[in-house]
Amino acid sequence: GESVGLHLPTLSVQEGDNSIINCAYSNSASDYFIWYKQESGKGPQFIIDIRSNMDKRQGQRVTVLLNKTVKHLSLQIAATQPGDSAVYFCAENGIIDSWGKLQFGAGTQVVVTP
Amino acid sequence: IAGITQAPTSQILAAGRRMTLRCTQDMRHNAMYWYRQDLGLGLRLIHYSNTAGTTGKGEVPDGYSVSRANTDDFPLTLASAVPSQTSVYFCASSVQGGSQPQHFGDGTRLSIL
């Protein structure tokens, strides 16, 4: 059931501004990272991914930055729109075993205000 | 529209009952996964399958079983449900296992009383 007291960090952004969502990953051996968007009542939706041989990748209105030195990943959303309101979370492949299953963060709630 | 279909969308179940959550994909993906999502904990992998006929344990497999008789279907069974299994369950698939985007269904919201 629900755990009392646990809640996601929240980023409040004004419509039209740029959003930056941050993620610290744990495994220095991870070589694949991915961002998801999850709207209320829906499953996670793939946004963009990046491999460790890159430090930046751009998509439509989104940019992912990877800093392997400090194990930090960020997602930038340009010109944030009301439809961008959702929970965003990152995942790393972790290299737990040869198969490298994804490990997910808990997420950040993005609220777009008019 | 191609994608992942999960059923049921929600269910209330008495403790001790057996329950199977269904997952079907029509993308011909080799790998499939089951996750549970609990508030503040993010997605946790229950079981996975690299290809039809093979399955593996994830982070939280106890109390759950899966089968992968064919490429498209990956059912998750709770043999004897307990209240701690109250959660939202997501099925996902990817072309291959590992470092690839996983595509998710819209989940099954399960409450165990």
Side-chain angles (χ1 to χ4, degrees):
Chain A
E2 219 172 351
S3 299
V4 175
L6 289 179
H7 56 275
L8 298 175
T10 299
L11 175 67
S12 186
V13 183
Q14 196 158 12
E15 183 177 355
D17 286 352
N18 296 336
S19 304
I20 299 176
I21 306 161
N22 296 304
C23 178
Y25 64 92
S26 58
N27 193 329
S28 57
S30 294
D31 62 2
Y32 176 73
F33 307 87
I34 189 167
W35 279 99
Y36 283 93
K37 171 186 180 182
Q38 187 175 21
E39 296 174 280
S40 180
K42 296 289 188 180
Q45 178 185 359
F46 169 74
I47 302 173
I48 192 167
D49 58 1
I50 188 169
R51 299 191 185 274
S52 60
N53 60 351
M54 303 173 70
D55 52 20
K56 180 179 180 179
R57 191 169 185 219
Q58 290 183 291
Q60 187 175 15
R61 273 200 316 119
V62 295
T63 300
V64 56
L65 299 178
L66 175 62
N67 186 329
K68 296 180 286 293
T69 302
V70 295
K71 293 190 286 186
H72 183 267
L73 192 67
S74 68
L75 178 71
Q76 300 177 2
I77 305 173
T80 310
Q81 302 169 359
D84 294 327
S85 292
V87 174
Y88 292 79
F89 51 89
C90 64
E92 59 181 302
N93 67 345
I95 312 293
I96 298 171
D97 52 34
S98 61
W99 198 64
K101 296 176 282 293
L102 292 178
Q103 293 177 295
F104 291 82
T108 297
Q109 176 79 55
V110 172
V111 177
V112 181
T113 57
Chain B
I1 299 176
I4 292 184
T5 301
Q6 291 187 238
T9 55
S10 65
Q11 182 77 44
I12 299 173
L13 188 69
R17 298 295 297 269
R18 180 184 179 89
M19 176 74 190
T20 295
L21 308 185
R22 300 185 299 278
C23 175
T24 300
Q25 54 106 355
D26 61 3
M27 298 175 283
R28 307 303 295 172
H29 284 175
N30 284 309
M32 296 188 75
Y33 317 77
W34 274 105
Y35 293 90
R36 60 178 289 173
Q37 187 177 43
D38 302 290
L39 187 66
L41 294 179
L43 290 161
R44 292 184 292 167
L45 183 65
I46 303 171
H47 285 285
Y48 65 93
S49 169
N50 289 338
T51 188
T54 68
T55 62
K57 293 182 179 181
E59 181 185 355
V60 288
D62 294 344
Y64 306 95
S65 64
V66 292
S67 61
R68 187 90 184 277
N70 57 61
T71 296
D72 298 342
D73 301 300
F74 191 43
L76 175 74
T77 297
L78 289 68
S80 179
V82 296
S84 62
Q85 292 177 310
T86 294
S87 188
V88 182
Y89 291 86
F90 288 100
C91 180
S93 70
S94 61
V95 175
Q96 301 290 347
S99 304
Q100 299 212 351
Q102 294 179 16
H103 302 273
F104 286 80
D106 281 337
T108 294
R109 284 144 189 83
L110 186 61
S111 295
I112 314 297
L113 304 179

